[in-house]
Amino acid sequence: MVSKSILALAPAVLSSVNAFTPVITSNRLLSTSLSAEATIQFVRGLEEKVVPGIKLTRARDGSSGTATFSFVNPNVFDASTASAGDITGMFLIDDEGEIKTTDVNAKFLNGKPQSIESVLVMQSPEEWDRFMRFMDRYAEANGLGFTKAG
């Protein structure tokens, strides 16, 4: 469903948001439970516990968009999870199914993995809507809020 290539759009055509960042009120993260669970995995069967920063871009006409996920010290790098398998992509899983991208890059410092950046490209309004339904579930489950760029 999602292309493996990076979509290059002129900045003049994009609207950008710094989206889905933790909502803090009274020094507490807001969190509610969902009947439908939404998870992110890099290794099938191993849920990523680190909540990413997510930046969205979308063409003004709504025809395409990207979501860039940044995970700092994700648990997929933990020694205790090494036996679970190799990173084969980023999998966004909820009750509707799975969204997948293989555009996953690790950043290293002194030979040790520090972070993962992954880009999901959406090439139609339907793919965008599907992604946003996933993000609504994931955001609610993890105490995130949506902040539109000003």
Side-chain angles (χ1 to χ4, degrees):
M1 176 162 93
V2 176
S3 172
K4 297 176 185 171
S5 63
I6 296 177
L7 183 64
L9 297 173
V13 182
L14 295 175
S15 58
S16 178
V17 293
N18 185 8
F20 300 105
T21 55
V23 175
I24 300 176
T25 303
S26 302
N27 295 325
R28 292 181 56 219
L29 285 177
L30 298 177
S31 181
T32 58
S33 61
L34 280 178
S35 58
E37 198 170 308
T39 64
I40 298 176
Q41 299 178 1
F42 292 105
V43 176
R44 291 199 184 271
L46 179 63
E47 182 179 336
E48 182 54 55
K49 305 288 186 207
V50 172
V51 177
I54 305 166
K55 293 185 181 179
L56 304 176
T57 60
R58 190 173 191 193
R60 291 191 192 277
D61 67 1
S63 63
S64 61
T66 63
T68 303
F69 293 75
S70 297
F71 297 83
V72 177
N73 293 317
N75 64 278
V76 73
F77 291 152
D78 293 346
S80 62
T81 63
S83 63
D86 294 331
I87 295 174
T88 56
M90 182 177 70
F91 309 96
L92 312 178
I93 301 168
D94 64 8
D95 62 339
E96 288 186 53
E98 177 182 279
I99 303 169
K100 175 185 175 183
T101 182
T102 56
D103 188 348
V104 178
N105 296 292
K107 293 185 181 180
F108 293 79
L109 180 63
N110 297 325
K112 295 184 180 184
Q114 300 296 310
S115 64
I116 290 179
E117 183 173 289
S118 185
V119 179
L120 176 68
V121 177
M122 294 153 282
Q123 296 183 333
S124 70
E126 294 77 22
E127 287 181 2
W128 179 270
D129 291 343
R130 170 64 180 102
F131 170 75
M132 292 305 290
R133 288 192 306 274
F134 169 84
M135 284 309 305
D136 285 342
R137 292 179 184 102
Y138 187 79
E140 189 170 339
N142 290 285
L144 303 179
F146 182 78
T147 306
K148 188 169 182 166

